[in-house]
Amino acid sequence: MSERDAKTYVRLKLGDKEALAQLYDQYSKLLYSFSFKMINDQQVAEEIVQEVFIKIWTQKSSYDETKGKFSSWLLTITRNTVIDYLRKRKETASEMVTKEMNQDLEPSIEDQIEWKEKRTTIDQAIKRLKPEQEKVIVLFYYQGLSQQKIADACEIPLGTVKGRIRLALRHLKDTIEDIEQNGGIIHE
Amino acid sequence: MSNHCDHLIDYFNGQLSDEEKRSFEEHLTTCGDCREELRELQELTDDLGFISEPIEPPSALKEKVLEAAFNERTPNDMREDDDKVRSFTTDQESQSSVVVPKNRKKLGWVVPSLAAALLLSLVGNGYAFSQLSTQEEVAPEEITPVESISVDSLAQQLSLQPSEENIPFEARASIVNKDQYQQLIVEANQLTQTEDTQVYQVWLLKEGDPYRAGTFTPAEDGSGMSTFDIDPEMGFDTIAITIEPDETSEVPEGEIVLLEEL
């Protein structure tokens, strides 16, 4: 958490409305984009963002430094909110496919640069996974499906789902680290 | 390995019924493997949301979201209803009443779920809270003189920075060890004069919960001071000064002029 975020968050906990507005300005685009990625519906993504900011404001979800990075915490709340929404609506998440990279990112703000860098890295790393590993990550993380549904979709025994997920995620992490260390050069 | 261990993925993805969830959380308290696997899942997925293609939310959304949020009851609102008991005094030089925080009614939102509590102790993935202000080493002669025959010592002294750069404001907080308690002394200069019943209110915070810690109004030259006795056991982490509509605010309502970590 940057010093700026830390101060803003303490002010928010004191009931400073301006602090919530600041967090909105800073993170709404990321949370909206992530919601949209998971749910592929603009209107629902708006509802999710609203729900997330209500959770932050009312401190139904409360951050402290043991929960890791502030942005990761916000993404986790967003993801949980999407999953709750999907469960309630009994819908399945839209088919997520790694979409074409949008080259027209606006690198104007520091956060957006960081986002763009991470996005490029993760995107490259996912593309380097075996298709079945990519699929398991998409079903598990981006669609938040149950173990049974993942087993059905991948046509694998229920008992092997957890192992596959962990293996795929570890592989992804290693690949991300590899890309970060080698400046994104793909040795293929 | 019990059947419970098979619920990890569904727990992470919020796919368990309330009953199953409770049961799994109970299992987590005794199963080190599941705790470790849960921590690993968190860590491995930490940044995956950043893959999202940036899409600008509609500009009207901001107002809608903020309005919806501000219509909700916040913990601060609830506390306001909850405890009207803490006493207050206002005067320019001093006020002394040992802060013995009222035994607050436990509110549901304060209590983290068992799993969250577990994660708190488990995740610990090396993130260190950035120190917003460091404790200054202060020479003894700088200690604010406190009338006493007991031997006092300075526990901490902080220069306090205004929360907005355009507020001219200079303040210093000193925490002095007394025999059985500590005393918080706040001195400020260049204060903007308050209007009508407005007062400057000092707050000490512990994990975001504010406690009144001194109230003052500025003298004509813009200087002000308050003292307040505090319980060292409380372990406050932050000090704040706000301008309140009057001296009765039990939770901060007005403009925050200053906020600093202790």
Side-chain angles (χ1 to χ4, degrees):
Chain A
M1 188 183 222
S2 67
E3 187 175 313
R4 180 190 54 184
D5 284 350
K7 279 200 169 189
T8 308
Y9 191 67
V10 177
R11 277 171 44 222
L12 181 142
K13 289 181 89 173
L14 278 170
D16 182 355
K17 294 181 174 179
E18 190 51 38
L20 188 73
Q22 272 179 31
L23 286 183
Y24 182 91
D25 289 342
Q26 210 174 326
Y27 290 106
S28 60
K29 189 172 175 182
L30 175 63
L31 305 188
Y32 179 76
S33 303
F34 183 44
S35 305
F36 185 79
K37 179 175 186 63
M38 287 190 75
I39 217 152
N40 205 15
D41 179 318
Q42 232 164 313
Q43 204 174 340
V44 178
E46 289 179 30
E47 284 173 35
I48 299 293
V49 170
Q50 177 164 323
E51 187 64 35
V52 169
F53 279 92
I54 288 175
K55 282 181 184 171
I56 300 169
W57 177 246
T58 57
Q59 292 168 45
K60 278 182 184 136
S61 299
S62 171
Y63 175 79
D64 63 69
E65 69 270 25
T66 62
K67 297 185 182 171
K69 285 181 295 184
F70 191 61
S71 55
S72 303
W73 174 72
L74 289 173
L75 288 170
T76 301
I77 300 179
T78 306
R79 182 174 177 276
N80 291 342
T81 308
V82 170
I83 289 173
D84 274 355
Y85 174 88
L86 290 172
R87 279 196 80 196
K88 280 175 195 155
R89 294 289 185 285
K90 289 200 186 330
E91 288 174 7
T92 48
S94 62
E95 270 301 315
M96 194 292 280
V97 266
T98 31
K99 289 187 180 155
E100 288 300 303
M101 289 279 291
N102 176 3
Q103 299 299 337
D104 303 323
L105 304 183
E106 310 140 44
S108 50
I109 311 172
E110 192 188 318
D111 295 333
Q112 289 191 11
I113 296 172
E114 190 196 351
W115 180 2
K116 185 184 175 183
E117 281 171 0
K118 280 187 181 165
R119 181 171 171 240
T120 309
T121 309
I122 299 167
D123 195 57
Q124 280 185 13
I126 285 190
K127 283 178 179 152
R128 282 162 70 174
L129 293 179
K130 288 180 194 150
E132 58 269 26
Q133 290 204 318
E134 176 182 345
K135 186 174 179 184
V136 96
I137 288 174
V138 168
L139 296 173
F140 164 68
Y141 187 76
Y142 294 107
Q143 295 192 19
L145 295 186
S146 69
Q147 192 168 350
Q148 184 64 57
K149 284 188 176 157
I150 298 171
D152 294 346
C154 297
E155 298 175 335
I156 52 174
L158 188 67
T160 63
V161 170
K162 184 165 77 176
R164 299 263 187 137
I165 291 169
R166 292 176 67 198
L167 204 63
L169 286 173
R170 280 194 205 139
H171 193 184
L172 179 63
K173 180 97 173 173
D174 290 345
T175 313
I176 288 171
E177 279 169 9
D178 185 43
I179 291 173
E180 280 169 351
Q181 279 163 18
N182 296 302
I185 300 157
I186 302 171
H187 312 282
E188 276 172 343
Chain B
M1 172 84 73
S2 74
N3 290 341
H4 279 117
C5 300
D6 297 333
H7 280 169
L8 182 73
I9 295 299
D10 286 341
Y11 178 73
F12 187 88
N13 274 356
Q15 300 289 341
L16 297 177
S17 67
D18 289 348
E19 181 50 42
E20 288 169 329
K21 187 177 162 195
R22 257 196 305 277
S23 166
F24 184 77
E25 286 175 348
E26 206 178 302
H27 165 72
L28 272 180
T29 61
T30 57
C31 181
D33 286 349
C34 279
R35 285 203 300 271
E36 173 55 25
E37 285 179 17
L38 188 60
R39 189 200 58 76
E40 189 194 29
L41 281 183
Q42 293 278 9
E43 193 187 307
L44 291 174
T45 56
D46 226 18
D47 279 347
L48 294 190
F50 282 102
I51 201 179
S52 316
E53 181 181 348
I55 307 168
E56 201 66 58
S59 55
L61 185 61
K62 181 176 177 178
E63 203 184 324
K64 199 177 138 202
V65 166
L66 295 181
E67 198 185 315
F70 298 148
N71 279 335
E72 296 282 324
R73 282 165 66 83
T74 66
N76 285 353
D77 297 336
M78 293 164 88
R79 269 201 299 269
E80 206 168 359
D81 297 344
D82 193 36
D83 47 15
K84 294 275 187 195
V85 183
R86 273 174 282 167
S87 62
F88 62 87
T89 55
T90 305
D91 70 49
Q92 238 155 280
E93 292 114 46
S94 83
Q95 60 176 342
S96 284
S97 54
V98 177
V99 184
V100 182
K102 187 171 155 272
N103 204 4
R104 290 180 180 167
K105 194 168 74 185
K106 273 280 179 192
L107 299 169
W109 51 266
V110 177
V111 187
S113 72
L114 180 56
L118 272 170
L119 274 178
L120 280 187
S121 58
L122 292 170
V123 171
N125 50 358
Y127 178 76
F129 201 74
S130 63
Q131 195 73 12
L132 293 182
S133 58
T134 49
Q135 185 171 336
E136 292 171 29
E137 289 294 330
V138 194
E141 60 267 25
E142 283 180 50
I143 296 177
T144 312
V146 181
E147 45 109 28
S148 75
I149 38 168
S150 72
V151 182
D152 298 343
S153 64
L154 186 64
Q156 189 173 12
Q157 191 165 53
L158 284 173
S159 277
L160 305 175
Q161 304 301 323
S163 61
E164 303 287 339
E165 280 167 16
N166 55 2
I167 303 178
F169 185 88
E170 236 180 56
R172 188 162 67 155
S174 314
I175 296 176
V176 179
N177 291 321
K178 312 287 282 186
D179 269 352
Q180 301 289 324
Y181 60 98
Q182 291 181 323
Q183 191 166 46
L184 170 72
I185 300 162
V186 173
E187 305 154 90
N189 289 304
Q190 300 178 41
L191 293 165
T192 309
Q193 289 299 326
T194 48
E195 291 166 14
D196 303 326
T197 58
Q198 282 185 337
V199 294
Y200 282 88
Q201 177 67 44
V202 183
W203 306 90
L204 285 168
L205 287 89
K206 185 185 178 184
E207 292 163 7
D209 289 343
Y211 295 82
R212 293 168 56 91
T215 314
F216 61 91
T217 50
E220 275 175 20
D221 65 357
S223 65
M225 185 170 178
S226 76
T227 66
F228 205 83
D229 296 345
I230 56 178
D231 178 354
E233 300 290 306
M234 282 299 289
F236 294 109
D237 50 42
T238 306
I239 182 168
I241 301 179
T242 60
I243 299 177
E244 294 298 316
D246 59 43
E247 74 277 13
T248 65
S249 300
E250 291 294 330
V251 292
E253 292 166 16
E255 182 195 359
I256 298 168
V257 293
L258 176 150
L259 186 73
E260 200 80 48
E261 296 234 338
L262 290 174

